[in-house]
Amino acid sequence: MHDDTMLPFTLPAVRRKKVTAAFDGGRLTSDGGAVLLGQAERRLDIAARLAAVIRDPRDPTRVIHPLADILRARMLAIACGYEDADDLDHLRADPALKLACGRLPETQADLPSQPTMSRWENAPSLREVIRLMRVMVDLYCASYARPPAAVTLDIDDTCDVVHGHQQLSLFNGHYGERCFLPIHVYDTATARPVAVLLRPGKTPSGKEIRGHLRRLVRRIRRHWPATRLTIRGDGHYGRPEVMAWCEQEGIDYVFGLSGNAVLHAAVEAAADDIRTRRAEGQAAVLRGYAETRYAARSWAQPRRVCARIEATSLGLDIRFVVTSLTHGNAGWIYDSLYCARGQAENLIKMHKAQLASDRTSCRAPLANQIRLILHTAAYWLMLTLRDVIPRTHALATAEFATLRLRLLKLGARVSETASRVRIAFTAACPEAPLIRGLAAALLPAGP
């Protein structure tokens, strides 16, 4: 806490009235809505779950900041838009963040500083990082009140540009950058993150993808042994090893598939019909679908391939997907099922651009994986906050940057007395009714 008194200063007069300013407004915060995130964190209990699987070698009698408090402060700061650990040097005395972390704004110690945060980002071992990733999968499974009958998991990788020579970073010719290519897995129907895995900046092999999916599915099956799983991804993930493993495990899949001369010849009759009908009708565009059985040399058996054929004045555009599904026509498989994976790309953009999960600037890969886990935890906080907004409200489908601007970045005065803490928001707060409702909706259940 800073008790320095700064002299007042003047600003240009307005309508012949003198304007003065001073830093004497009391304990003010620009992140008053962080207390809502604090309620969301207590509902999910993410910090305590993560801290429980990390060994803490410190002397308990000398600990000022428990590990759960350190992780909690970091993920709350990320959700509020402070993506770097050194932001905590300036925020550690912020009254709203202290309240969100369960500390009194004036009479209890400030939040951990940047060195404390950075030490714990680098402290966990490989085994502990694996346990942390399992905790995040467990958190996803626990987000359902009961095991669902079926879920579709979208898997994709994204370019995470590095600005140095961090371990695992490689030059990727497709992106023209030195980068990581972390894998993101989402339950797109609910926008919930399932797993985020740091990996080198190269296209994943079939063997690597199979290993990641095997570990992920094994963990999910511990919670949902009877749930029907469908894996969905682009052509990077439609590898023979992956498809064979899915079929062996009874998991459905829909993957993009690169076209070739054999596939184009198999759908030529349908393509020619669509091309001819478009030309005869002088239509700007005409779309149709076809399907065939196809087996590449590396495949152990023929599989169902669906084609989307689009004819325009510029020619034909044909896209293929391979699937284990036997029901549904080719149009439904491509348009309704496969194209829905585009929403996963939007979720990745929110994860990266609005929660800065590409801030993987540590040298060690384990530390960067810890950062991905913390940023994913911040994603859960924002998603939990959005999920309790009434469906009829305009912010019920808002992106995280909008939620942060409208619900978190609120000016407030925080005062602490002997018996209570009072938060005074501005009377002109445009979302006052919604904030009141969210505070009530996030209260823990109980007497």
Side-chain angles (χ1 to χ4, degrees), residues 219-230:
R219 194 68 186 179
I220 293 175
R221 288 292 190 213
R222 290 174 58 120
H223 301 273
W224 302 338
T227 297
R228 187 74 180 179
L229 299 178
T230 300

Side-chain angles (χ1 to χ4, degrees), residues 7 43 76 87 125 253 265 285 307 312 317 353 358 400 409 423:
L7 296 176
R43 168 180 282 195
L76 286 170
D87 290 322
S125 65
Y253 60 81
V285 60
T312 69
D317 178 46
D358 57 352
F400 293 162
K409 294 297 182 181
I423 305 174

Side-chain angles (χ1 to χ4, degrees), residues 40-55:
E41 197 283 325
R42 280 188 285 275
R43 168 180 282 195
L44 298 173
D45 201 25
I46 304 179
R49 292 186 185 196
L50 295 176
V53 299
I54 302 176
R55 187 180 70 89

Side-chain angles (χ1 to χ4, degrees), residues 30-34 37 79 382 385 403-404 406-410:
S30 60
D31 296 291
L37 287 179
M382 297 297 288
L385 181 63
L403 294 180
R404 182 186 296 135
R406 301 280 292 275
L407 300 179
L408 303 184
K409 294 297 182 181
L410 304 176

Side-chain angles (χ1 to χ4, degrees), residues 87-228:
D87 290 322
L88 268 297
D89 284 340
H90 309 287
L91 295 170
R92 55 188 310 215
D94 185 277
L97 283 176
K98 288 181 69 174
L99 280 175
C101 290
R103 298 194 180 190
L104 294 174
E106 295 185 15
T107 57
Q108 287 195 301
D110 289 343
L111 299 175
S113 61
Q114 176 270 324
T116 302
M117 298 285 181
S118 296
R119 277 195 297 270
W120 278 105
E121 284 182 352
N122 289 270
S125 65
L126 175 59
R127 289 183 179 273
E128 289 170 333
V129 171
I130 293 173
R131 294 191 197 110
L132 290 171
M133 297 172 67
R134 290 172 179 167
V135 169
M136 300 307 292
V137 178
D138 294 343
L139 180 66
Y140 161 69
C141 293
S143 67
Y144 282 86
R146 61 183 62 86
V151 294
T152 299
L153 303 181
D154 285 289
I155 182 170
D156 203 357
D157 51 67
T158 183
C159 178
D160 182 351
V161 178
V162 303
H163 303 285
H165 293 278
Q166 291 100 314
Q167 297 172 10
L168 294 187
S169 66
L170 296 173
F171 182 82
N172 189 293
H174 176 75
Y175 296 103
E177 299 280 2
R178 190 176 182 87
C179 63
F180 301 122
L181 279 183
I183 285 178
H184 290 239
V185 182
Y186 293 92
D187 178 350
T188 305
T190 59
R192 295 169 184 167
V194 183
V196 181
L197 175 68
L198 187 78
R199 53 174 308 282
K202 62 178 181 178
T203 302
S205 67
K207 184 177 179 180
E208 179 189 351
I209 298 166
R210 182 182 61 189
H212 295 323
L213 287 176
R214 179 189 291 118
R215 288 183 287 272
L216 175 62
V217 170
R218 182 188 302 143
R219 194 68 186 179
I220 293 175
R221 288 292 190 213
R222 290 174 58 120
H223 301 273
W224 302 338
T227 297
R228 187 74 180 179

Side-chain angles (χ1 to χ4, degrees), residues 17 36 78 95 134 137 139 145 156 158 165-166 232-233 246 258 264 266 314 323 328 343 376 378 439:
K17 288 191 177 183
L36 297 176
I78 293 170
R134 290 172 179 167
V137 178
L139 180 66
D156 203 357
T158 183
H165 293 278
Q166 291 100 314
R232 185 167 56 189
C246 287
S258 299
H264 283 277
L314 300 178
T323 180
Q343 179 60 19
T376 305

